[in-house]
Amino acid sequence: MVSVSTVNDALKSFYLDVLINQLNHSISPLYSKFKATSSFITGKEAVKPVCYDLSSGVAALDEYGDLPKANGNSYAMFRAELKNLYGTIEITDKAMRASENSQGAVVNLLNAEMEGLLATAKQNFSRMLYGDGTGKLAAVAAAVTEGTTVTADSYKLLKPGMKIEFRTTSGSVAAQITAVADTGITVSSAVTVPKDAAIVLAGSYNNEIFGLETLFSSETTLYGVDRTGKDWMQPYTGTSTAAISDIKIQKAIDSAEEKSGGQIDFITCSYGVRRAYQEYLETSKRNISPVELEGGFKTISYSGIPVVADRYCPDGTMYLLDTKVFDMHQLCDWRWLEGDSGNVLKQLANKAAYTATLVKYANLICGMPCGQAKLTGITEK
């Protein structure tokens, strides 16, 4: 007989391992490249020592010359607050009772909930990887006074049903998107918002992990360190790229590798940029040989480096990354949020329904910002 207790046990003993595997390896090819670690956790933040200037105690000298003096390596302490990442499932009491005499029915019920959780997690975490930690989805393109239609600089990440906030330095205005078109979004009630207000997911402002745009932002501080005048904290950015080509890609790679001594091993871009690069390869009579990545993903490559298209990568943009210096710092891997009794399935207050919450406390840090590169303004196809 199926009961709350048996569902609770199934979530803890079977579904958790499946979810961990899926969330760590199947979110996206880029997410899979970042290794997880709990080695640098201090309290509620990750504190990682990063070496940026090696000792000068190496030299070629005369046979009887004085030995070189070691000055000691120079370190900076990168700090990142651990973000609270949650995933929630909900099962009604009616659905459980309808399945209580059929083990297969409750398995189907739980499988459906897990699939929904995974689909939502993949969308949100993939999007966060390209963000700057603020949760910004777009910006308001023109001021609105008591209106229900808002124009934005991009509609790529805006979807009907989203609960959002229009954020400014003076506060926020809550809204829900009811429709999205090329001419603007429609919200459920009239709002007054200024031009350039940030459009963010409700409750997500400054609560998301530090994605790639954290590195390439104009902020003078990165991971708690002032990067003014620090060349080793400045990634390469190529603007107004226009038509993509091998030489433009190679220039970005060379700029990053010469500065950092690292090696670019992953390229990610928008779908339109990938099509543009494929057209360039076809025009230059080059064969397009797919490469296979972890998780079963297949894609094209540049000089052996995978070129992966991602729906959440900004239009006209290509990132060229040394993923070996990225770490997903986490307090622990995914876990169910448990009550005092050890149960993960809890009744919702005043509801004939139960909920279970998956949690992870983590943030992403790049240990060598100057080893990364970005091309913008690429003409898409």
Side-chain angles (χ1 to χ4, degrees), residues 58-251:
V58 177
L61 303 171
D62 180 78
E63 182 177 359
Y64 290 103
D66 293 335
L67 295 176
K69 182 179 180 181
N71 294 325
N73 299 334
S74 297
Y75 289 88
M77 303 301 289
F78 281 1
R79 296 177 177 272
E81 179 187 4
L82 298 178
K83 302 300 182 178
N84 311 316
L85 308 177
Y86 299 111
T88 302
I89 63 169
E90 188 174 310
I91 303 172
T92 66
D93 182 67
K94 182 178 181 180
M96 286 184 58
R97 289 182 184 277
S99 306
E100 65 181 0
N101 294 320
S102 171
Q103 190 72 30
V106 78
V107 168
N108 291 337
L109 175 65
L110 289 175
N111 284 347
E113 288 294 325
M114 296 306 130
E115 288 172 5
L117 175 60
L118 286 171
T120 303
K122 287 179 181 181
Q123 292 176 15
N124 280 285
F125 296 142
S126 294
R127 177 185 56 76
M128 288 183 200
L129 290 180
Y130 293 92
D132 60 3
T134 64
K136 181 179 178 181
L137 305 175
V140 176
V144 178
T145 302
E146 288 298 314
T148 57
T149 300
V150 181
T151 56
D153 60 354
S154 172
Y155 303 101
K156 186 171 185 175
L157 303 178
L158 302 175
K159 307 296 179 186
M162 273 187 174
K163 293 183 178 180
I164 59 171
E165 297 173 1
F166 297 100
R167 279 272 175 176
T168 66
T169 54
S170 59
S172 65
V173 176
Q176 183 170 14
I177 300 175
T178 58
V180 179
D182 293 337
T183 55
I185 60 171
T186 303
V187 293
S188 56
S189 57
V191 295
T192 296
V193 291
K195 184 179 182 296
D196 297 327
I199 304 174
V200 303
L201 279 177
S204 291
Y205 186 64
N206 282 339
N207 288 326
E208 296 189 350
I209 63 173
F210 294 156
L212 298 180
E213 275 305 299
T214 306
L215 297 173
F216 296 94
S217 74
S218 59
E219 296 292 329
T220 57
T221 300
L222 177 64
Y223 307 133
V225 176
D226 185 351
R227 55 180 173 181
T228 304
K230 298 181 176 70
D231 192 52
W232 61 276
M233 290 193 72
Q234 308 294 338
Y236 172 87
T237 300
T239 59
S240 304
T241 304
I244 193 66
S245 67
D246 282 349
I247 195 65
K248 292 176 181 178
I249 294 175
Q250 193 61 53
K251 181 181 178 181

